[in-house]
Amino acid sequence: MRLVDADGRTWFFVDKVPIFFVDDDILPGAALPWPAFVRCHVVGQQEDQILVVSTAPDHVEAEDGTTQFRVRPNQLEPASWS
């Protein structure tokens, strides 16, 4: 999975498919790129209205081990619980 943060920096995540996709959202042979999601928690908001989020609670990290990212509010979707 790839995340482009609020500063335009690209972060890459590698994990099992169920971490980024719900149910059968993506199947073998699907056209890529495909939208993906990772759960995160908002840990702060900066003066420029940028949010700081953490993926650490689900043990998801970028390839370099980073777990906190600056994102724009429109990059987030509200949590939906089934």
Side-chain angles (χ1 to χ4, degrees):
M1 184 185 97
R2 175 182 64 127
L3 164 72
V4 178
D5 70 14
D7 302 311
R9 181 173 178 184
T10 301
W11 301 89
F12 292 96
F13 300 80
V14 177
D15 212 318
K16 296 175 181 70
V17 170
I19 296 296
F20 306 120
F21 302 99
V22 178
D23 300 324
D24 293 328
D25 281 351
I26 189 164
L27 299 171
L32 298 176
W34 189 272
F37 301 89
V38 63
R39 290 189 333 167
C40 63
H41 298 274
V42 176
V43 296
Q45 183 172 355
Q46 298 180 336
E47 291 179 19
D48 57 2
Q49 303 304 307
I50 297 298
L51 302 174
V52 177
V53 299
S54 173
T55 58
D58 281 345
H59 308 287
V60 175
E61 57 188 38
E63 288 182 313
D64 69 352
T66 301
T67 59
Q68 286 198 358
F69 307 92
R70 287 173 33 91
V71 298
R72 294 178 304 279
N74 67 353
Q75 288 181 271
L76 301 179
E77 290 192 10
S80 61
W81 302 96
S82 324

